[in-house]
Amino acid sequence: MIEIATEVDLSHPPARIWRALTEQALLAKWFAGSESLGDRTLLRTAGLPGYDADTEVEVVELRAPERLVLRCREADRSTRLACDLTPIGHGSRLSVREVLEEGDWDADQRAEQHERAVTGRLPAILDWLAFQEIDLRRAEGGLTAELPVIPPGAARGRTGRRRALLLAGALAVLGVAAGVTVWAGRPAPTAPAAQPVSTPSSPPAVSSASSTSPQASPSRPTPSATRRSVTPEATASASPTRTTSPSPSRAAPLAASYETVSDRVFGYRGQVLLSNPGPAARPDWAVTVTLGDDATVGSVNGAEVKQDGAVVTFTGAALPAGGSVTIRFDVRDPDLTATKPEGCSVDGAACSGL
């Protein structure tokens, strides 16, 4: 038994997704045209990738708006298709599982067909459907009355303020770092040792420290103090050498390029192509993407994701030498003019194409 499973997070409520899955008029807009055959439905799938003929569909289980199970017959092939909807924080999670019960198919081609339908065409029709439900007559108290009013240039000013805050924070960090560097550079133990040697009052201190040989003690503390003053410098000079010794890995940093795959009414789909041009594998990596205010990441393919405010971090498995990985992610952004993130970087370098 062969099973194909696809899961996607959508920024829409379950009821809207249920409509797109079950209403014939909406189903025809994102998947295929349909025709009622009494207790069954005929989907016009003959011209779609992964399908050889039209598909006859029979409802096996119907529990709105949570679960829909269908038995599909396409020529001599029979499959069982289950769609499950689960509410999540920013929308719904759609899980689609199709099991081959009879006949044969190209599993890779079928999985690609699922991917295009569920992560490409379905979100587009859902965004379109959401737009149809919006009453643009804000002044009359329509459905858009709760949406924020963004005057011209507000988004730019908001970004400018954030950059100013980030710049102020960076200057503050640099100031603290400079203070720490100066404090660390001050040889606190050696300063008291150096003063007794140079001042006239040092002989009593030296003589009190050594009670056995008064003449040998002044000669010994001098080189010992010199050694103490030199030792931190030698350690400091050695530590950068040890720190810079692993620098060959930095000679070939990871490269990343960004591209907006598609625009939507309330967001966009982004893609980052990460490649390793170096001669050695990278056991760990992280791509950082900065979104706009109140923007959230939905479904992600090709990496693990963690969002902290506007900063989204993508991580994944080791990247072999000469290898690459493609990260695709959906962004829901209340700023209707946003078509890409505000920043993207890897290994401290900005992604190209942004």
Side-chain angles (χ1 to χ4, degrees), residues 6-11 88 90 92-94 115 119 264 268-272 285 287 289 291 296-307 312-316 325-332:
T6 305
E7 188 175 86
V8 61
D9 292 347
L10 301 167
S11 302
I88 55 178
H90 59 275
S92 309
R93 176 165 296 157
L94 172 63
E115 181 77 13
T119 66
R264 297 175 182 171
Y268 53 90
R269 165 165 287 193
Q271 172 178 297
V272 175
W285 51 266
V287 175
V289 172
L291 304 179
T296 55
V297 168
S299 61
V300 176
N301 294 319
E304 299 293 329
V305 63
K306 180 180 179 181
Q307 181 168 357
V312 180
T313 304
F314 299 101
T315 57
V325 63
T326 300
I327 307 169
R328 295 186 181 92
F329 54 95
D330 293 329
V331 176
R332 180 174 177 84

Side-chain angles (χ1 to χ4, degrees), residues 1-352:
M1 180 179 295
I2 302 177
E3 177 179 317
I4 297 175
T6 305
E7 188 175 86
V8 61
D9 292 347
L10 301 167
S11 302
H12 296 273
R16 183 177 298 145
I17 303 173
W18 184 263
R19 288 188 57 196
L21 294 176
T22 57
E23 294 185 12
Q24 290 189 10
L26 296 177
L27 191 64
K29 289 183 178 295
W30 70 273
F31 182 60
S34 60
E35 178 184 346
S36 178
L37 301 177
D39 58 345
R40 300 188 180 188
T41 302
L42 183 66
L43 295 179
R44 302 296 185 183
T45 56
L48 298 179
Y51 290 91
D52 300 327
D54 290 341
T55 304
E56 193 173 294
V57 176
E58 177 186 3
V59 177
V60 177
E61 183 179 351
L62 183 66
R63 192 166 68 246
E66 301 171 359
R67 182 171 174 80
L68 174 65
V69 181
L70 307 172
R71 178 167 285 109
C72 308
R73 176 164 290 279
E74 173 199 352
D76 58 349
R77 178 189 304 152
S78 178
T79 64
R80 183 183 179 91
L81 181 69
C83 302
D84 292 287
L85 279 169
T86 306
I88 55 178
H90 59 275
S92 309
R93 176 165 296 157
L94 172 63
S95 300
V96 179
R97 299 180 184 275
E98 188 172 17
V99 179
L100 180 65
E101 296 181 332
E102 182 182 349
D104 194 12
W105 62 8
D106 186 335
D108 292 336
Q109 188 179 22
R110 192 71 158 199
E112 184 179 353
Q113 194 275 338
H114 275 227
E115 181 77 13
R116 282 198 298 264
V118 175
T119 66
R121 293 194 297 265
L122 177 58
I125 188 62
L126 289 172
D127 289 345
W128 174 84
L129 186 59
F131 185 77
Q132 302 304 308
E133 297 173 0
I134 293 177
D135 182 2
L136 298 179
R137 298 170 297 174
R138 181 188 297 273
E140 300 178 14
L143 296 178
T144 56
E146 298 180 0
L147 295 179
V149 179
I150 305 177
R156 185 179 304 172
R158 189 168 58 243
T159 304
R161 287 195 300 272
R162 182 188 302 142
R163 289 176 179 169
L165 291 175
L166 288 176
L167 178 59
L171 292 175
V173 171
L174 289 176
V176 173
V180 172
T181 305
V182 172
W183 178 257
R186 292 180 58 187
T190 57
Q195 289 177 359
V197 174
S198 58
T199 43
S201 59
S202 58
V206 173
S207 61
S208 61
S210 60
S211 59
T212 55
S213 58
Q215 295 180 353
S217 57
S219 60
R220 289 180 184 174
T222 304
S224 64
T226 307
R227 290 192 193 105
R228 289 188 188 128
S229 62
V230 172
T231 302
E233 295 177 1
T235 306
S237 62
S239 58
T241 306
R242 292 170 189 165
T243 305
T244 54
S245 59
S247 62
S249 62
R250 296 183 181 178
L254 298 180
S257 61
Y258 172 82
E259 177 186 0
T260 297
V261 178
S262 60
D263 297 338
R264 297 175 182 171
V265 178
F266 294 105
Y268 53 90
R269 165 165 287 193
Q271 172 178 297
V272 175
L273 176 60
L274 182 67
S275 57
N276 179 14
R282 283 289 297 269
D284 55 358
W285 51 266
V287 175
T288 303
V289 172
T290 304
L291 304 179
D293 291 341
D294 301 324
T296 55
V297 168
S299 61
V300 176
N301 294 319
E304 299 293 329
V305 63
K306 180 180 179 181
Q307 181 168 357
D308 184 7
V311 178
V312 180
T313 304
F314 299 101
T315 57
L319 192 60
S324 63
V325 63
T326 300
I327 307 169
R328 295 186 181 92
F329 54 95
D330 293 329
V331 176
R332 180 174 177 84
D333 198 327
D335 183 358
L336 301 183
T337 63
T339 58
K340 60 182 180 180
E342 296 185 0
C344 172
S345 64
V346 60
D347 286 348
C351 303
S352 63

